[in-house]
């Protein structure tokens, strides 16, 4: 049975060393060796995949206050300076915040190596699942801070890869 678009979708935090399922129905975290090892715990076939902090990159950048298409062109030229990976081997996405000042508009830019994204997609497909979204896990910290009405926060989380600390400033990661 598939979930309706309004219902909460399970979230799998993926890393090269394992996966953790957050089941929104029960509020439980379930550890697994892979996405496939968690399949029997997932109702339905749709998930959100959160890429671990060591397999994805998130940066903020001040960019001209322009259309999304124009900002995308600017970012294509700057990707190599924002992330320690080759722009040719990287999948990149971004969103523009409402935060503007004299230096430009704040953009949250996320990147993942193309090979990592292919590996994740292969695991999801092999488990018989589909993705609603694939996002860096760190973005969840900003959502959590907003839910708690915190504009400034440090979100500390122990992960299989080590301790993660996400800083939230003015409501953004």
């Amino acid at each position: 049975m598939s979930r309706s678009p309004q219902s909460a979708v399970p979230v799998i935090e993926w890393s090269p060393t394992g996966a953790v399922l957050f089941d929104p129905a029960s509020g439980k975290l379930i550890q697994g060796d892979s996405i496939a090892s968690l399949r029997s715990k997932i109702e339905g076939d749709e998930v959100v995949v959160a890429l671990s902090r060591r397999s994805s990159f998130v940066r903020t950048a001040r960019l001209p206050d322009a259309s999304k298409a124009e900002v995308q062109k600017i970012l294509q030229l700057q990707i190599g300076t924002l992330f320690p990976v080759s722009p040719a081997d990287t999948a990149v996405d971004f969103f523009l915040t409402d935060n503007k000042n004299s230096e430009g508009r704040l953009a949250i830019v996320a990147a993942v190596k193309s090979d990592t994204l292919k590996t994740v997609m292969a695991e999801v497909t092999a488990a018989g699942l589909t993705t609603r979204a694939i996002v860096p896990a760190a973005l969840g910290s900003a959502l959590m801070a907003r839910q708690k009405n915190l504009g400034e926060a440090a979100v500390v989380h122990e992960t299989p890869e080590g301790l993660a600390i996400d800083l939230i400033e003015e409501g953004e990661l």
Side-chain angles (χ1 to χ4, degrees), residues 17-141:
T17 60
V20 178
L21 169 67
F22 171 70
D23 180 2
S26 68
K28 292 183 180 178
L29 292 174
I30 304 165
Q31 296 267 137
D33 295 331
S34 64
I35 292 174
S37 71
L38 297 169
R39 180 60 177 109
S40 65
K41 310 288 185 193
I42 300 170
E43 181 183 322
D45 63 357
E46 189 175 46
V47 295
V48 169
V49 177
L51 300 172
S52 71
R53 286 159 183 84
R54 293 192 187 224
S55 60
S56 62
F57 303 96
V58 180
R59 300 282 187 268
T60 58
R62 288 276 173 195
L63 299 168
D65 187 18
S67 72
K68 187 166 180 160
E70 291 172 318
V71 170
Q72 186 171 16
K73 289 177 185 176
I74 293 166
L75 276 175
Q76 287 173 343
L77 299 173
Q78 294 184 358
I79 292 303
T81 62
L82 288 175
F83 301 110
V85 292
S86 166
D89 302 328
T90 308
V92 177
D93 202 359
F94 68 96
F95 66 92
L96 299 170
T97 70
D98 293 330
N99 184 325
K100 300 178 199 176
N101 66 22
S102 61
E103 295 176 17
R105 189 173 192 171
L106 186 66
I108 310 298
V109 185
V112 62
K113 290 181 181 179
S114 299
D115 288 344
T116 300
L117 194 55
K118 289 175 188 172
T119 299
V120 170
M121 289 303 301
E123 282 193 40
V124 168
T125 301
L129 297 166
T130 59
T131 57
R132 182 175 287 185
I134 299 176
V135 298
L139 293 179
S141 294

